[in-house]
Amino acid sequence: MHILEIPSFFPPYGGLFCLDQAKALKSLGHEVRILSNVQLGATIGLRDYVVQPYLRYEHELDGITVCQSYQRGLPKCIRYNVRRWVRIVQRMFADYVRKYGQPDILHAHCCKWAGYAAMLISRQYHIPYIITEHLSKQLFRDEFGDDLSSVWQIPLLKEAYRQASMVLPVSEELVDSLACYFGTDYRWQPLSNVIDVDFFHYQKRIPKEGRPFRFCCLANFWPLKGYDVLMPAFRQLRDSGVDAELHIAGRGTDSSECLSMLSDGMVSHGLLDKEAVRSLLYQSDALVLASRSEVQPLVLLEAMSTGIPVVATECIPQSLRIEQGCTIVPVDDVQALSEAMRTVSMYECFDGRAVSEKVRQMASPEVIGQKLVALFNDILASR
């Protein structure tokens, strides 16, 4: 099967979910490439805006061919930037077909705007498309606001949802969460993102006797991640007599604002690469996340895959609440979070290997790749 992945976002602005699924599909013997147009913002990262290539090119990323383009966005010209982004993707697709032939199916990541571009390409070339949706309601609210009567983007995105052969929200809860924007009049089924379970493999921790219990939190330092709840909860935990450490890592955790909030037992590591993230997980006994809003925080699955329990808030989807591996507390409840951390720190018979295996059965590249292939085959057969 010939599959073309079209991400809405790609490095330097994230979007590696697309690469993970492309690798999973390729490992099953399919022809898979990525077509990526990244809109660069001068206010987001001036260096990237200046130094990234101005011409389209191809490169290999973890064994996947990426047809790459960088678009310089114009500040405050949202409608113009969107139209230009979509036109560039359409032209890149025409070039792609001339070089590689027409794919059997298009797989867009996020409806805004890869899903919309895939819909227009599908109309012209009569190729089915699906959309994997990763974006949270909070991100749409930040852009669209609360008065939706004059938001020009919504009718375009709703049509892309309706015309898709299938929409794959990364959690079932995301459908109802986004219904205020896109309704529910489209075909959908939930499908998890991929976890590199071989990289984040199970590893037995060193005995806890004679040392502090080590919690970690892997999350960027911004309000939705709830550091203003986590830190007082950890202080309460220490004040109750629990010998514990809290190691935090993520973008902004080494900022002056974040560092000023640290107290005894707290350590900041700043932004870590994948290897360092795994190293921190292997040095930790549990992960804690005090988020106020999440779609599918894969760090929870990565932590459980390495064999440690997690403490998280009610905003995470049911699919991540693995039995014995995940403890849930209310959002913005310092006392409840502190008590849950205390309970987890006293676990004596936690079966990390069993929890790790549950993650593998749910989100490994092989499992997700096979589910995608089965879906693609059903779509192509129905046409």
Side-chain angles (χ1 to χ4, degrees), residues 254-376:
D254 56 353
S255 66
S256 58
E257 180 183 1
C258 182
L259 294 177
S260 70
M261 297 169 62
L262 300 185
S263 56
D264 290 347
M266 300 183 192
V267 180
S268 172
H269 296 269
L271 183 64
L272 301 179
D273 61 20
K274 187 177 178 180
E275 294 276 353
V277 164
R278 183 177 66 174
S279 178
L280 180 57
L281 287 172
Y282 284 149
Q283 295 167 26
S284 300
D285 303 300
L287 180 138
V288 58
L289 198 63
S291 297
R292 296 182 169 97
S293 176
E294 292 285 358
V295 176
Q296 192 194 31
L298 296 184
V299 66
L300 297 185
L301 290 177
E302 291 168 352
M304 287 186 283
S305 183
T306 69
I308 58 174
V310 301
V311 180
T313 58
E314 291 175 334
C315 69
I316 73 163
Q318 290 288 336
S319 59
L320 270 63
R321 302 181 188 188
I322 293 177
E323 186 178 0
Q324 298 182 342
C326 187
T327 299
I328 300 298
V329 300
V331 174
D332 285 335
D333 192 326
V334 172
Q335 183 65 32
L337 183 62
S338 182
E339 290 174 357
M341 293 170 71
R342 180 182 180 86
T343 299
V344 168
S345 71
M346 295 179 176
Y347 280 173
E348 294 184 356
C349 300
F350 177 72
D351 191 347
R353 189 182 295 276
V355 170
S356 177
E357 182 58 30
K358 290 178 181 178
V359 174
R360 177 177 291 273
Q361 294 171 4
M362 178 181 121
S364 70
E366 182 179 9
V367 167
I368 301 303
Q370 289 174 345
K371 288 183 177 180
L372 284 170
V373 169
L375 172 63
F376 294 165

Side-chain angles (χ1 to χ4, degrees), residues 178-247:
L178 298 183
C180 58
Y181 299 111
F182 310 123
T184 58
D185 182 25
Y186 54 88
R187 294 170 290 274
W188 65 273
Q189 64 183 56
L191 184 66
S192 171
N193 273 307
V194 169
I195 294 296
D196 189 345
V197 293
D198 291 330
F199 183 83
F200 293 102
H201 58 81
Y202 170 78
Q203 180 168 296
K204 187 176 180 180
R205 300 316 195 262
I206 63 173
K208 302 184 184 73
E209 291 78 12
R211 65 173 180 85
F213 188 95
R214 180 173 290 185
F215 288 95
C216 69
C217 177
L218 295 161
N220 294 335
F221 183 71
W222 62 312
L224 287 179
K225 297 302 181 181
Y227 277 106
D228 58 324
V229 176
L230 173 59
M231 290 181 179
F234 178 75
R235 283 192 285 271
Q236 283 192 19
L237 179 71
R238 295 253 303 184
D239 290 344
S240 72
V242 176
D243 185 13
E245 297 175 349
L246 174 62
H247 293 254

Side-chain angles (χ1 to χ4, degrees), residues 38 64 294:
V38 176
I64 301 295
E294 292 285 358

Side-chain angles (χ1 to χ4, degrees), residues 112-153:
K112 187 174 80 70
W113 288 95
Y116 178 72
M119 179 187 71
L120 298 181
I121 293 169
S122 175
R123 288 176 179 174
Q124 182 178 357
Y125 290 87
H126 308 290
I127 303 170
Y129 72 97
I130 69 166
I131 301 170
T132 290
E133 189 56 77
H134 308 266
L135 297 184
S136 68
K137 180 179 180 179
Q138 186 62 48
L139 290 174
F140 284 110
R141 178 183 288 153
D142 289 345
E143 180 170 351
F144 298 159
D146 294 317
D147 181 9
L148 306 180
S149 58
S150 60
V151 179
W152 58 269
Q153 296 98 321

